[in-house]
Amino acid sequence: MAAPKTRRSVFLGRLPLPERNYLADALRAETVGGVLLLAAAVAALIWANTPLREGYESVRSFHIGPAALGLDLSVQHWAADGLLAVFFFVAGIELKRELVAGELREPKAAILPVVAAVCGMAVPALVYTVVAASGGGSLGGWAVPTATDIAFALAVLAVIGTSLPSALRAFLLTLAVVDDLFAILIIAVFFTSKLNFAALGFAFVGLVVFWLLLRKGVRGWYVYVPLAVVNWALMYNSGVHATIAGVAMGLMLRCTRRDGEQQSPGEHIEHLVRPLSAGLAVPLFALFSAGVRVSGGALADVFTRPETLGVVLGLVVGKAIGVFGGTWAAARFTRAELNPDLKWPDVLAVASLAGIGFTVSLLIGELAFGYDEGLGGEVKAAVLIGSLIAAVLSSTLLKLRDNKYKKLCAEEDRDEDEDGIPDIYEQDNPEFHLRMAARYEAKAAEHRRLAEVAAGRTTRDDGPA
């Protein structure tokens, strides 16, 4: 007697309803932030390429802050090390939630996005290294094309109006969260300057205090915000990149709900801080980092200089091949079946979308080539060009399936019994079928009555004369 076949898991299947609702809220904020990010990047490019460019350089190089505390920083530096700590704080909360309540909580489900993210970082780094080495360029920028900017990617989706199914959006978000984790590790390990062990020790003590206050249930922003600022300042002075403090504090928040809670503390704080991150911190970073001089000669140099060509090819080719190849290989290894409503070209389109590596790529570019202002500016231009090409390529691939996506989204959102729960989530509920049968019978009775009135066989009861 043949052994029964094991049930194969479904890749990119329907999300649980709570996860779908959380995803919709999170992506709505990210999409708005992404549009602001696009606007800030365009404003920076215009500002840096007009007669007002001297004012742009003066503003972003203006120093402010207490020198005695080692914080006499330029505006551009404050944006990169200060404001982005808020962005990475939110990334830390997202990662914690994914680990305890999202796609990463179960090892079997986590394999696909983790392998996709790892391959989506390894292949671009390999592409950059091969291109730079073959042209005799610097290998120091290998990490620049490894990052994915979820806000920028979602802004592209908002601009082109693509109705991407929630499963594909969830895969993109989870991919970006894991991507952020590895980007954080890269920054911490490879871009840490000489360590100040005293400051690092005090930063560690501050993080422990932060954790203990959370565990004791202490409430009040006036406690945590000053402590977070102190931890950030200590981390900055330690030589470790200051954004690591934001990630560490985000990971400490509880992201599981207890009985009677509508939101966990982590979800509540993320809901409060995400608009600040997406609407202010990241756009301001883009405004003071994306302003590079653009000319015909400079654009041509991007495709001829090994470092910049490596960045462009890493983002456009390396990301697409890495994410798609890693996903396909992991699905084959785990014997996961692709959702029958979707096709592998859909995964390729999302993989191309992951090539938009704006925020973290610009940050790593500054860390890798900050010593060379000329090369640093060219690498920023390469990040912008590579992200633009990836956006156009992914938009084209997604547009080819836009009609199919709209049908899938309409099916996901259909709520004929108007109870606030999409019908697709109630198909196995007997009460749902009884409600729908009663609804259809009432409609049929109303149609019969109207038909009789129209035929003149009955008259409406207008009451007594």
Side-chain angles (χ1 to χ4, degrees), residues 40-94:
V42 171
L45 287 170
I46 294 173
W47 196 358
N49 288 276
T50 63
L52 299 174
R53 60 179 174 269
E54 291 185 3
Y56 178 73
E57 291 298 334
S58 297
V59 170
R60 70 175 180 177
S61 61
F62 181 77
H63 278 63
I64 188 172
L69 299 178
L71 297 175
D72 182 21
L73 310 178
S74 67
V75 170
Q76 183 179 4
H77 209 161
W78 276 110
D81 280 2
L83 292 176
L84 278 195
V86 180
F87 166 79
F88 279 106
F89 174 71
V90 174
I93 299 176
E94 288 177 339

Side-chain angles (χ1 to χ4, degrees), residues 93-117:
I93 299 176
E94 288 177 339
L95 178 61
K96 178 67 173 289
R97 190 189 174 281
E98 286 291 330
L99 289 170
V100 300
E103 291 292 304
L104 302 179
R105 70 186 183 280
E106 297 179 5
K108 286 183 66 177
I111 288 175
L112 280 163
V114 169
V115 171

Side-chain angles (χ1 to χ4, degrees), residues 396-453:
T396 302
L397 294 174
L398 291 169
K399 270 296 184 183
L400 294 176
R401 295 265 291 165
D402 199 35
N403 290 334
K404 177 65 176 178
Y405 295 152
K406 287 179 179 178
K407 291 178 182 178
L408 291 176
C409 287
E411 182 65 19
E412 285 183 4
D413 295 334
R414 186 164 55 88
D415 183 19
E416 292 192 10
D417 60 343
E418 299 177 353
D419 65 346
I421 301 175
D423 296 342
I424 198 170
Y425 288 93
E426 298 185 290
Q427 290 177 348
D428 297 329
N429 184 355
E431 293 183 2
F432 166 72
H433 292 289
L434 290 174
R435 289 200 306 271
M436 294 305 296
R439 188 181 182 88
Y440 289 139
E441 180 59 32
K443 285 184 177 180
E446 179 66 13
H447 289 158
R448 287 194 298 270
R449 189 185 69 79
L450 292 175
E452 291 173 355
V453 170

